[in-house]
Amino acid sequence: METKIKTLDGSGNDDIILREAADLIRRGDLVAFPTETVYGLGGNGLDPSSSRAIYAAKGRPSDNPLILHIADREALRPLVREIPPAAEKLMDAFWPGPLTIIFRKTGLVPPETTGGLDTVAVRMPSHPGAAALIRAAGVPIAAPSANASGRPSPTCARHVYEDLNGRIPLILDGGESEIGLESTIVDVSRSVPEILRPGYIGLQALRDLLGTVSVDPAVLGRPDEKTAPRAPGMKYRHYAPQVPLTLVAGPDEKRAAYILEKAQEAAQNGERTGAMVCRETLPLYQADEGDHLLLIPLGARACGEEIAHGLFAALRHLDECGLSHVYSETFEEGPLGVAIMNRLRKAAAFDLTDLA
Ligand code: AMP
Ligand code: MG
């Protein structure tokens, strides 16, 4: 199958492209499209065969449920058994935007879409192209991130093309994703709302709105038998580059000295090391930059938004650089720290050296 890329540029031409994309979705085909979080791989969320096609295109395990994307609040009602007061508050505060809410589902939502669960994840994206596509399709669009399963989520059309070329008919190119991390997921189907996946909307903002909010233990640490994550997708290997990645925590100077020493050691064996660092600490490494050390700047850590925005592109880039090992600084600080570290820990397969 030929995969076409069509650019949404805000001109009158967008309508024609969106209509073509919506037709594909209504026919049971798949279309990758931009959202404010990451690119999604969309299909008709009420059509079991579309959902099966999504799993097949991504190589995603079929017990890993999809998120339904809607463009209007009225579209929610037929999908869910009830709308708890906490959900009303969340939708008033954060929709449209990077927040996914888990509800108890109705029979309208096929089990193929929810990985057999009796709950359904719903989000209303704020990206105008995404909203226009959903409206034009006239159905809720089931869309996981548009990467091949296990790879970092795509934050531009080129990433989608790298992973899904030949597997889907159309990619809508809306430029770089503004946020760059997937949505925050909150489960309101239980008595106490629970964060199943951290994202741009942080714990404090949710607690300010709802009072008590719990956090799935799998969000913060390594999932094991006791802490099997409640969002099935969180248990899978994800984001991981081929090259081994180690996170290094601790004071800036000590950390830089440790990473530079590791790079020197590897250089003795003719190996090249990568270091993912922030703008603030870049000067600590720059004197050593060269054949044996590649610096991968991630932006200013004082601005979590900047780190989040470029993180997945940086992870994708690692495997193209001929590196034998990569070390990354940790980014715990700020409202986005939990979400960034959740993705980084998975990318590093939980390999963390703490020098504190
Ligand atoms: P992605 O679509 O790639 O952003 O991944 C969707 C995430 O939402 C995965 O981690 C899923 O496991 C999670 N998810 C979707 N539906 C549900 C649900 N009904 N209950 C819990 N987690 C869900
Ligand atoms: Mg994903």
Side-chain angles (χ1 to χ4, degrees), residues 160-289:
V160 180
Y161 191 79
E162 280 167 15
D163 283 15
L164 300 180
N165 178 25
R167 293 170 170 253
I168 59 173
L170 180 61
I171 299 170
L172 301 180
D173 184 350
E176 283 182 22
S177 307
E178 191 186 330
I179 294 177
L181 296 180
E182 307 88 343
S183 57
T184 305
I185 303 181
V186 180
D187 186 353
V188 296
S189 72
R190 314 181 141 211
S191 49
V192 175
E194 182 167 58
I195 298 180
L196 306 190
R197 178 171 74 185
Y200 185 79
I201 294 170
L203 177 61
Q204 196 51 52
L206 295 171
R207 288 202 168 135
D208 289 347
L209 186 75
L210 301 178
T212 319
V213 175
S214 62
V215 181
D216 184 346
V219 162
L220 302 168
R222 178 188 203 129
D224 55 33
E225 252 111 79
K226 268 179 261 136
T227 58
R230 298 216 18 254
M234 301 279 285
K235 73 173 177 276
Y236 290 108
R237 183 171 179 274
H238 210 175
Y239 312 120
Q242 299 290 318
V243 47
L245 171 65
T246 302
L247 309 183
V248 186
D252 290 337
E253 273 83 17
K254 199 170 170 186
R255 171 159 63 188
Y258 176 86
I259 294 175
L260 293 174
E261 190 188 314
K262 289 286 182 189
Q264 284 292 347
E265 280 169 28
Q268 308 295 315
N269 304 323
E271 292 172 352
R272 189 174 194 219
T273 300
M276 300 210 293
V277 302
C278 63
R279 190 168 307 140
E280 289 89 335
T281 58
L282 197 58
L284 298 174
Y285 299 85
Q286 266 163 334
D288 284 54
E289 193 174 12

Side-chain angles (χ1 to χ4, degrees), residues 58 60 145 147 153 238:
K58 277 180 65 92
R60 176 171 171 134
S145 48
N147 50 288
S153 298
H238 210 175

Side-chain angles (χ1 to χ4, degrees), residues 1-337:
M1 174 189 309
E2 190 204 346
T3 301
K4 283 190 241 165
I5 301 181
K6 298 204 169 176
T7 303
L8 299 175
D9 58 7
S11 76
N13 207 28
D14 285 5
D15 284 348
I16 299 166
I17 296 173
L18 288 165
R19 223 171 305 133
E20 183 193 337
D23 285 344
L24 285 168
I25 285 179
R26 272 197 305 271
R27 282 213 308 263
D29 275 322
L30 307 183
V31 175
F33 64 100
T35 83
E36 70 278 20
T37 58
V38 299
Y39 273 68
L41 175 60
N44 179 351
L46 304 183
D47 170 15
S49 66
S50 292
S51 292
R52 281 194 290 265
I54 291 175
Y55 290 111
K58 277 180 65 92
R60 176 171 171 134
S62 61
D63 71 340
N64 186 358
L66 309 174
I67 295 172
L68 287 185
H69 292 70
I70 59 175
D72 303 282
R73 286 273 277 267
E74 304 82 78
L76 178 66
R77 196 60 263 189
L79 308 174
V80 303
R81 292 245 287 274
E82 76 248 322
I83 302 179
E88 296 278 6
K89 284 192 198 167
L90 288 170
M91 293 187 290
D92 288 344
F94 299 118
W95 274 13
L99 180 82
T100 295
I101 306 177
I102 310 278
F103 298 89
R104 299 205 303 147
K105 79 173 192 72
T106 61
L108 187 65
V109 183
E112 284 79 359
T113 298
T114 64
L117 297 177
D118 62 2
T119 51
V120 60
V122 187
R123 177 164 108 80
M124 188 191 292
S126 64
H127 190 289
L133 176 65
I134 298 162
R135 285 202 184 97
V139 290
I141 294 188
S145 48
N147 50 288
S149 191
R151 297 260 292 155
S153 298
T155 54
C156 64
R158 184 174 47 81
H159 295 163
V160 180
Y161 191 79
E162 280 167 15
D163 283 15
L164 300 180
N165 178 25
R167 293 170 170 253
I168 59 173
L170 180 61
I171 299 170
L172 301 180
D173 184 350
E176 283 182 22
S177 307
E178 191 186 330
I179 294 177
L181 296 180
E182 307 88 343
S183 57
T184 305
I185 303 181
V186 180
D187 186 353
V188 296
S189 72
R190 314 181 141 211
S191 49
V192 175
E194 182 167 58
I195 298 180
L196 306 190
R197 178 171 74 185
Y200 185 79
I201 294 170
L203 177 61
Q204 196 51 52
L206 295 171
R207 288 202 168 135
D208 289 347
L209 186 75
L210 301 178
T212 319
V213 175
S214 62
V215 181
D216 184 346
V219 162
L220 302 168
R222 178 188 203 129
D224 55 33
E225 252 111 79
K226 268 179 261 136
T227 58
R230 298 216 18 254
M234 301 279 285
K235 73 173 177 276
Y236 290 108
R237 183 171 179 274
H238 210 175
Y239 312 120
Q242 299 290 318
V243 47
L245 171 65
T246 302
L247 309 183
V248 186
D252 290 337
E253 273 83 17
K254 199 170 170 186
R255 171 159 63 188
Y258 176 86
I259 294 175
L260 293 174
E261 190 188 314
K262 289 286 182 189
Q264 284 292 347
E265 280 169 28
Q268 308 295 315
N269 304 323
E271 292 172 352
R272 189 174 194 219
T273 300
M276 300 210 293
V277 302
C278 63
R279 190 168 307 140
E280 289 89 335
T281 58
L282 197 58
L284 298 174
Y285 299 85
Q286 266 163 334
D288 284 54
E289 193 174 12
D291 286 345
H292 74 285
L293 179 68
L294 176 72
L295 297 180
I296 302 138
L298 291 180
R301 72 178 164 203
C303 177
E305 279 86 356
E306 200 183 342
I307 305 276
H309 180 80
L311 182 63
F312 289 154
L315 288 172
R316 276 178 179 261
H317 179 56
L318 294 181
D319 285 328
E320 297 159 9
C321 302
L323 303 169
S324 59
H325 204 114
V326 177
Y327 296 88
S328 176
E329 295 182 338
T330 49
F331 302 94
E332 306 278 358
E333 50 279 284
L336 282 178

